[in-house]
Amino acid sequence: MDNSDNTVSTKYWRHLDNDHTLCTLCPRFCELREGKRGVCYIRMAQGGEIVLTSYGRSSGFCIDPIEKKPLHHFLPGTPVLSFGTAGCNLTCAFCQNWDISKSRHMETLSASATPEQLAKMAEQTGCRSVAFTYNDPVIFMEYALDVAAACHARDIKTIAVTAGYINPEPRRDFFAGMDAANVDLKGFTESFYHRICGGHLAPVLDTLRYLKQETKVWFELTTLLIPGENDSAEELEAMCRWIADELGPDVPLHFTAFHPDFHMLDKPSTSMASLLQARDIAKAHGLHYVYVGNVHDVADGSTWCPSCGKLVIERDYYRLGSWAIHDGCCQHCGAKIAGVFENQPGTWGPKRLPVEIR
């Protein structure tokens, strides 16, 4: 096996009779000859096992507002140290971070940091959490989990921004290291996942059920609405009904606006009418916290108490305004507001601050 500091052994694989190695991390089950990489690019067959080739490497480190993940009910207003690597185990034609997630060049990983360096930087810069984002942390889970352990030793939370495309056994290990997650529910038909994302819907739904039923991870959902692809009233009705029945009314749902990118340059941007239709459908199915994103809409980016209907967290993009939550409850009527809150919100605002870790 390569002795590079960036290449480490992994756990989820098995040998096949044809001398190939099967990666069992995600539902793709890549069958690899020696020296070949999986669809994710950063996991490779080497020395008779599957190795991660990007340990400790990143496309860069940046301090973001927590609301950008997006997470609206997890330590609002606080800064989060964010980073990703390269590659992805889905092949979404609409990817908004394609320069990172679709990269096949290790030069993309121009920054490096040990888990301890990352945790220390988060602590020194006042970040309450570290987010594994920009590309899917499932594929670099060994690095992510070591960073999570170092962060937890310093009382820093960890966040996965993920598509949830992972097999059951590694899923237990992965989410055991996470305090919060935003899961991309990219659509609600098998056809959409197969044609547009190169994957399947069922494993994602299994991950969401797992998070709800078997973990204490705070999680929120995001669906990027693509005109003519996953935004029909029929599909949104089915999705919101499933969320209400399987996950309950308190899981926040973010409908975000698509803009033409990567292999979907021919699609128009999502209209405000489409976002508001999706919001109305979700509300009609009893979901308490429904947001629209990638557009300027203070009312539909803010949090309203599901009991009394009054404003509890005002948001203007990533900037917080009025705040009416105390001990996790609405200050107007005393009803519980689902999430992880402190009595005073953070004050980071919309700043984006690249950082260099040495």
Side-chain angles (χ1 to χ4, degrees):
M1 191 179 79
D2 189 343
N3 290 322
S4 165
D5 289 341
N6 304 125
T7 299
V8 298
S9 297
T10 69
K11 179 179 178 182
Y12 293 105
W13 53 270
R14 68 173 184 265
H15 290 298
L16 299 177
D17 292 340
N18 59 4
D19 290 330
H20 291 188
T21 305
L22 185 73
C23 180
T24 59
L25 176 71
C26 88
R28 301 200 75 92
F29 290 105
C30 292
E31 182 179 332
L32 304 174
R33 302 192 309 273
E34 180 71 11
K36 295 299 181 180
R37 296 175 180 268
V39 169
C40 69
Y41 182 66
I42 62 173
R43 301 179 89 83
M44 180 174 73
Q46 184 173 284
E49 63 176 325
I50 300 294
V51 297
L52 172 65
T53 62
S54 63
Y55 188 97
R57 298 278 295 276
S58 172
S59 54
F61 307 99
C62 185
I63 301 176
D64 286 326
I66 192 78
E67 288 76 15
K68 193 175 182 179
K69 298 305 104 187
L71 286 173
H72 281 6
H73 291 240
F74 188 80
L75 303 176
T78 61
V80 52
L81 179 60
S82 304
F83 76 95
T85 61
C88 188
N89 60 342
L90 289 175
T91 57
C92 300
F94 54 84
C95 185
Q96 314 278 287
N97 287 326
W98 62 268
D99 54 331
I100 295 172
S101 67
K102 307 307 177 189
S103 176
R104 294 297 182 265
H105 302 286
M106 293 306 285
E107 289 80 5
T108 299
L109 303 175
S110 58
S112 63
T114 66
E116 182 56 33
Q117 284 175 319
L118 271 164
K120 184 176 180 181
M121 175 60 74
E123 184 177 61
Q124 289 176 341
T125 55
C127 291
R128 299 294 308 282
S129 56
V130 169
F132 312 110
T133 181
Y134 307 137
N135 71 319
D136 203 306
V138 160
I139 65 171
F140 62 91
M141 69 173 287
E142 292 79 11
Y143 184 33
L145 289 177
D146 285 352
V147 173
C151 286
H152 290 156
R154 295 174 180 265
D155 197 27
I156 295 165
K157 306 299 185 185
T158 50
I159 297 165
V161 180
T162 176
Y165 206 61
I166 185 171
N167 284 331
E169 188 177 356
R171 182 170 64 204
R172 287 192 294 271
D173 287 350
F174 180 73
F175 285 110
M178 302 301 144
D179 299 291
N182 185 287
V183 181
D184 285 326
L185 182 53
K186 296 175 182 292
F188 206 69
T189 65
E190 173 62 16
S191 173
F192 180 85
Y193 265 86
H194 181 68
R195 289 185 302 106
I196 307 297
C197 305
H200 301 284
L201 173 61
V204 180
L205 301 185
D206 286 345
T207 291
L208 294 174
R209 290 190 192 96
Y210 172 79
L211 286 170
K212 177 63 178 180
Q213 297 172 7
E214 300 187 44
T215 79
K216 295 183 179 179
V217 176
W218 174 258
F219 68 100
E220 305 184 17
L221 305 178
T222 296
T223 298
L224 184 75
L225 291 182
I226 304 173
E229 295 291 352
N230 65 350
D231 64 341
S232 71
E234 181 182 25
E235 182 171 343
L236 293 171
E237 291 272 0
M239 184 178 78
C240 293
R241 187 181 308 114
W242 184 90
I243 293 170
D245 291 345
E246 298 285 345
L247 307 180
D250 286 335
V251 175
L253 174 58
H254 303 258
F255 289 115
T256 57
F258 163 86
H259 64 264
D261 213 333
F262 197 41
H263 294 317
M264 276 196 167
L265 297 175
D266 59 330
K267 290 286 182 182
S269 296
T270 311
S271 69
M272 179 60 80
S274 180
L275 290 170
L276 297 181
Q277 177 194 40
R279 176 209 61 187
D280 289 346
I281 289 171
K283 288 285 192 179
H285 281 83
L287 301 187
H288 291 161
Y289 308 106
V290 185
Y291 302 101
V292 301
N294 291 346
V295 294
H296 188 225
D297 183 340
V298 175
D300 290 302
S302 297
T303 301
W304 304 81
C305 175
S307 181
C308 70
K310 292 185 178 179
L311 181 65
V312 290
I313 307 175
E314 182 182 28
R315 297 183 190 84
D316 188 347
Y317 279 125
Y318 306 129
R319 190 183 302 278
L320 300 189
S322 62
W323 176 269
I325 293 179
H326 184 77
D327 292 342
C329 297
C330 171
Q331 286 185 309
H332 304 293
C333 72
K336 179 72 175 176
I337 304 297
V340 179
F341 304 107
E342 296 174 327
N343 286 336
Q344 294 296 321
T347 58
W348 180 255
K351 297 187 293 292
R352 183 179 188 275
L353 179 65
V355 294
E356 187 172 340
I357 298 178
R358 297 179 180 275

